Amino acid sequence: MGQVKRLAAGGILTVSMSPSFAAKWLMPRIEHFRTRHPDIDLRIDADVRLVDFSANEVDIVIRYGPGSYPGLKSVLLFEEELFPVCSPRLLSSAVPLRSIADLGQHTLLHDETINFAGPIPSWRVWLQMVGLEQAIDLNRGLRFNSSVTATQAAVDGHGVLLGRSLIVADDLSAGRLIRPFAKSCPAGLGYYLLHPPQVASRANVHAFVDWIIEEAAGEGTGGEG
């Protein structure tokens, strides 16, 4: 009887999201949700595959993209900015990093996680904005298919990463990363919470949606689509 009541009140809620969003944003805040809703057991599906809601046991997805998701309820959680980040140790190395042109003497870390048709967050986009695309060899550097790994490489002092503001936020706050230059540019993409309209009335879905919108609001958020 107790188990039946527990399932009615909360039960398992499966949320699909990228490994980087799970590791860098959700996990540091997950206890906030668990404290508020101890009756809901979250199942984190750390994947970016396409989800067929009718065939998969997934209730909610969080995706990074341009924002066009026909047939789904869509809430913009975050927009991102791009800016260089590096370990504080890099500033005291033998190679200077006083001006943007000095990037030519450092290892560039390329986060190649995002793959869309059209402009994507990249060193090329940021260097075009500051007018130095032709001065820096963009073929150089270390390339990663994981934002978490790319960020850790920057924390460990292996080079300069073009950071995505949401992914690097906690490392900046903790002093593990710094911004050597103030210039930033919009990524043109955002994190969206998505689910079929018909599940919106479910208590556990409603609880998670309300919580994450409230949590995101304290860090800057968009709105519903």
Side-chain angles (χ1 to χ4, degrees):
M1 184 66 175
Q3 178 68 5
V4 172
K5 288 183 178 179
R6 184 168 179 269
L7 290 174
I12 297 173
L13 181 70
T14 301
V15 185
S16 174
M17 64 193 71
S18 68
S20 59
F21 187 88
K24 289 295 187 178
W25 192 85
L26 185 66
M27 286 304 101
R29 297 161 179 82
I30 196 67
E31 283 304 313
H32 301 173
F33 180 81
R34 287 166 55 83
T35 299
R36 184 181 298 186
H37 299 287
D39 55 324
I40 299 176
D41 294 320
L42 281 181
R43 178 178 179 269
I44 306 304
D45 180 25
D47 203 329
V48 293
R49 73 188 189 284
L50 293 176
V51 171
D52 180 352
F53 284 98
S54 63
N56 292 276
E57 294 182 356
V58 173
D59 303 301
I60 296 170
V61 302
I62 298 170
R63 289 293 183 264
Y64 187 60
S68 177
Y69 303 98
L72 297 176
K73 181 68 174 175
S74 170
V75 179
L76 174 62
L77 297 175
F78 300 100
E79 294 176 311
E80 279 199 315
E81 293 186 327
L82 308 174
F83 45 77
V85 295
C86 66
S87 166
R89 300 195 305 273
L90 221 61
L91 295 187
S92 58
S93 69
V95 182
L97 190 56
R98 293 185 293 267
S99 71
I100 294 174
D102 290 335
L103 287 170
Q105 302 178 67
H106 284 266
T107 300
L108 298 183
L109 306 178
H110 302 268
D111 179 356
E112 297 186 333
T113 308
I114 309 304
N115 184 18
F116 291 107
I120 61 173
S122 68
W123 272 113
R124 186 176 303 280
V125 170
W126 189 83
L127 289 168
Q128 283 176 341
M129 182 199 71
V130 298
L132 281 175
E133 180 191 2
Q134 303 302 320
I136 307 294
D137 184 358
L138 294 173
N139 294 315
R140 305 173 34 247
L142 296 172
R143 300 177 184 275
F144 303 88
N145 67 351
S146 162
S147 296
V148 173
T149 308
T151 303
Q152 188 60 47
V155 169
D156 291 341
H158 295 303
V160 185
L161 173 69
L162 186 67
R164 291 164 45 198
S165 54
L166 186 86
I167 301 300
V168 302
D170 285 351
D171 289 308
L172 287 170
S173 296
R176 292 184 292 268
L177 291 174
I178 61 167
R179 294 179 60 173
F181 314 114
K183 290 185 180 295
S184 64
C185 68
L189 303 169
Y191 285 92
Y192 291 83
L193 181 144
L194 311 164
H195 62 74
Q198 60 268 26
V199 306
S201 60
R202 281 177 41 192
N204 57 2
V205 170
H206 192 269
F208 184 82
V209 171
D210 281 357
W211 171 79
I212 199 169
I213 289 174
E214 180 183 322
E215 197 79 20
E219 304 172 34
T221 181
E224 296 191 4

